[in-house]
Amino acid sequence: MRCYCILFLFFTVSLAFSQNNYVAPSDTLVQKNLNRWHGYKFGLFMHWGTYSQWGVVESWSICPEDEGWTQRKGPHAADYNEYKKAYENLQTTFNPQHFHPEKWVEAAKNAGMKYVVFTTKHHDGFSMFDTKQTDYKITSPKTPFSSNPRSNVAKEIFDAFRKENFLIGAYFSKPDWHNENYWWPYFPPKDRNVNYDPKKYPEKWNAFKQFTYNQIEELMTNYGKMDILWLDGGWVRPLSTVDKNVEWEKNITYDQDIDMKKIASMARSHQPGLIVVDRSVGGEFENYQTPEQQVPDKPLSFPWETCMTMGNSWSYVPGDHYKSARDLVQLLIKIVSRGGNFLLNIGPGPDGDWDTAAYTRLREVGSWMKINSEGIYNSKPVEPYSSGNIFFTQADDEKNIYAFYLSDSDAVLLPPEMRIKNFSIEKKSSIRLLGSSKKLKWKMDHNDLLILFPAPLQQKAPGNYAAVLKITRN
């Protein structure tokens, strides 16, 4: 993941997310689980690692690329080798004593979230699980938190969320900048990619492939029922899949094929029906696509999920600016109206807890969801998708349509008459506001739907941020 400090709200997805390289899974169990995931709509993402102690971008500050979001900060910033050594030494001070994942489960559940994706390992290579493949991990004696009975953080998180029936997703970085067979110490790293030619040194690349395979197999066998394997680091891919028209793929010069067919086959032998997300690579092992910090302006023809930060950063940053509850609710509506899921990221701090603002936001979102989630879960897009500040979904059986009226303030002030242009409904249809049992009067004016609101509803609509009209076809 990258760190962005701008909120992208609503525009056409352009990166590598294209229907041209999507291949629908043929496995019926995968299809079933993908449909279930798609109906859940709202999930929790968490980026967490030793980097939270410095409050810096996750992993990327040790990557020698000249990007604004990769810049080094602090007393070691002037010397790359000194900085990387100090960064990796964060392992020896990582001790999140306030780690209680049940708090996160309760907050996420009350907010209406239905699945979780946790970073078991980011690009820096520090494992937040008890891997046997490296000592650069949270359960190593080098890490103070290893003495805590809950030190196997990934397992504790997965078990806690699974108890409340969340779908469980393991984020895993394919590149590993700590592993000597990816960034070989003989050469300095030049960028995010492997720093040697795998074809020239096949023994090193095969050792890295085996390391990656072994770590993923550990996650698939020792951590309970897994629903999603969410693979990041899309530059680790066969060279034949690189699209030089995509800016960030232009610097991929080596074939970094880690044999996804073998990995996916192994993973599904342990976890039948597993959803695999080899993000940005396309093909049969990217079961859904993941536009980052973006919301498409129209439905896509394949399963997709917007992953976006609640704050400005994926990782914990002290004093980070968190999006308002109104922004979050309206983002959820826009995403779902285009047929997507919303994976919302919160970065835990070095003490093992979230910023209090994150709990507040989820509580506020949850208050809205308790009234209006009927129009979110198990819904699908319906034309015209949106009209001005009104967005639409429909129930899976297509009997009910939901029109979301987005407010420009926290309180929803409804007009005496709402006109939805070029939107026709059947004569015997009924309309009411979710949160209210009263049927609303309506009429057609040529091709426009006119809905009338009585004075009490104008002054106080149910809930904040957006009112939801339920249109039932009879």
Side-chain angles (χ1 to χ4, degrees):
M1 312 303 296
R2 299 182 181 182
C3 174
Y4 291 91
C5 295
I6 300 173
L7 172 61
F8 294 98
L9 284 180
F10 207 60
F11 50 87
T12 304
V13 170
S14 60
L15 297 175
F17 306 103
S18 167
Q19 60 186 3
N20 296 329
N21 61 5
Y22 181 75
V23 177
S26 57
D27 185 323
T28 55
L29 274 179
V30 176
Q31 294 171 4
K32 180 180 178 181
N33 286 338
L34 195 59
N35 287 335
R36 181 185 178 199
W37 161 85
H38 191 238
Y40 280 178
K41 300 301 180 187
F42 194 22
L44 172 67
F45 207 3
M46 284 190 288
H47 278 64
W48 192 27
T50 60
Y51 46 78
S52 64
Q53 296 174 87
W54 280 357
V56 298
V57 60
E58 68 295 335
S59 299
W60 284 99
S61 64
I62 63 171
C63 179
E65 294 185 12
D66 189 14
E67 303 280 357
W69 43 273
T70 64
Q71 289 179 353
R72 299 186 294 275
K73 300 176 182 178
H76 309 286
D79 184 285
Y80 174 81
N81 291 320
E82 180 184 336
Y83 183 90
K84 188 168 186 288
K85 183 178 179 180
Y87 181 99
E88 293 181 340
N89 198 50
L90 285 170
Q91 174 184 11
T92 65
T93 55
F94 193 41
N95 196 18
Q97 290 294 323
H98 293 165
F99 171 62
H100 300 291
E102 290 77 13
K103 286 182 63 178
W104 300 340
V105 176
E106 181 181 11
K109 183 179 180 180
N110 289 339
M113 292 170 159
K114 298 284 190 178
Y115 65 104
V116 64
V117 178
F118 176 68
T119 50
T120 63
K121 185 185 74 170
H122 206 261
H123 312 327
D124 61 10
F126 186 79
S127 296
M128 297 289 281
F129 66 104
D130 187 27
T131 178
K132 302 299 186 289
Q133 311 306 315
T134 177
D135 201 37
Y136 193 48
K137 60 181 180 178
I138 195 165
T139 54
S140 166
K142 297 178 183 177
T143 310
F145 196 61
S146 64
S147 62
N148 190 292
R150 309 194 79 173
S151 63
N152 193 353
V153 161
K155 187 176 190 304
E156 295 292 330
I157 289 172
F158 293 149
D159 286 350
F161 278 90
R162 194 180 292 110
K163 285 179 181 177
E164 293 298 328
N165 299 314
F166 278 65
L167 294 185
I168 303 300
Y171 169 112
F172 182 88
S173 169
K174 293 181 294 180
D176 187 316
W177 296 335
H178 183 79
N179 188 284
E180 64 179 9
N181 292 311
Y182 192 78
W183 276 1
W184 183 13
Y186 183 78
F187 297 114
K190 299 181 290 293
D191 52 27
R192 70 188 68 185
N193 294 284
V194 62
N195 68 340
Y196 62 90
D197 185 349
K199 287 188 177 180
K200 191 173 182 179
Y201 302 98
E203 71 287 348
K204 296 197 73 64
W205 185 249
N206 287 332
F208 178 69
K209 285 169 62 177
Q210 190 62 51
F211 169 82
T212 303
Y213 180 97
N214 291 347
Q215 282 204 314
I216 293 175
E217 186 164 40
E218 288 175 332
L219 290 169
M220 295 299 107
T221 54
N222 299 326
Y223 292 81
K225 175 72 169 64
M226 286 289 172
D227 302 291
I228 304 167
L229 176 59
W230 209 98
L231 299 172
D232 200 10
W235 54 95
V236 176
R237 67 199 296 166
L239 193 60
S240 61
T241 68
V242 171
D243 183 353
K244 294 298 184 179
N245 294 315
V246 178
E247 187 63 31
W248 69 268
E249 295 186 35
K250 290 180 180 178
N251 293 327
I252 305 173
T253 57
Y254 294 136
D255 189 341
Q256 301 183 59
D257 188 347
I258 57 168
D259 197 346
M260 274 302 304
K261 185 173 184 178
K262 181 179 178 182
I263 287 173
S265 177
M266 171 273 293
R268 286 177 175 148
S269 71
H270 300 300
Q271 302 287 345
L274 180 75
I275 300 168
V276 177
V277 184
D278 190 15
R279 71 184 305 247
S280 82
V281 177
E284 63 179 311
F285 306 115
E286 190 176 15
N287 297 153
Y288 66 76
Q289 297 194 4
T290 55
E292 181 175 329
Q293 302 281 45
Q294 302 181 38
V295 182
D297 65 354
K298 58 184 178 180
L300 305 178
S301 63
F302 46 79
W304 62 275
E305 163 193 84
T306 284
C307 52
M308 185 177 286
T309 53
M310 181 183 281
N312 286 336
S313 176
W314 292 103
S315 53
Y316 170 81
V317 173
D320 200 1
H321 173 74
Y322 288 84
K323 296 173 180 65
S324 69
R326 176 159 54 94
D327 284 341
L328 295 173
V329 165
Q330 294 186 2
L331 279 165
L332 175 63
I333 292 167
K334 291 174 181 179
I335 291 165
V336 172
S337 76
R338 268 51 184 174
N341 284 26
F342 188 16
L343 185 62
L344 179 61
N345 182 84
I346 302 172
D351 64 348
D353 205 355
W354 293 341
D355 190 296
T356 55
Y359 289 104
T360 300
R361 295 295 186 276
L362 291 186
R363 186 167 57 251
E364 292 166 339
V365 170
S367 295
W368 184 87
M369 287 287 280
K370 284 177 174 63
I371 298 171
N372 300 298
S373 63
E374 176 184 334
I376 298 293
Y377 300 134
N378 297 305
S379 66
K380 58 185 181 181
V382 60
E383 291 184 309
Y385 312 123
S386 62
S387 176
N389 66 333
I390 300 173
F391 292 76
F392 304 97
T393 67
Q394 66 177 334
D396 194 46
D397 62 8
E398 300 184 4
K399 181 179 180 181
N400 295 310
I401 293 176
Y402 301 90
F404 297 79
Y405 175 80
L406 274 55
S407 174
D408 57 7
S409 63
D410 285 356
V412 180
L413 302 177
L414 294 168
E417 179 182 275
M418 181 185 295
R419 179 181 292 269
I420 305 179
K421 294 182 177 181
N422 299 312
F423 190 83
S424 299
I425 60 175
E426 293 83 355
K427 187 175 181 179
K428 292 184 178 181
S429 298
S430 63
I431 303 177
R432 69 176 180 86
L433 275 176
L434 294 185
S436 171
S437 59
K438 185 175 294 186
K439 290 185 178 180
L440 299 173
K441 294 180 179 179
W442 64 274
K443 61 183 179 180
M444 293 301 304
D445 182 14
H446 299 291
N447 292 326
D448 297 349
L449 172 63
L450 296 181
I451 304 172
L452 307 177
F453 295 100
L457 284 179
Q458 294 173 38
Q459 297 167 6
K460 185 168 178 56
N464 291 324
Y465 320 128
V468 185
L469 293 156
K470 181 178 181 179
I471 303 170
T472 301
R473 295 166 168 169
N474 293 317

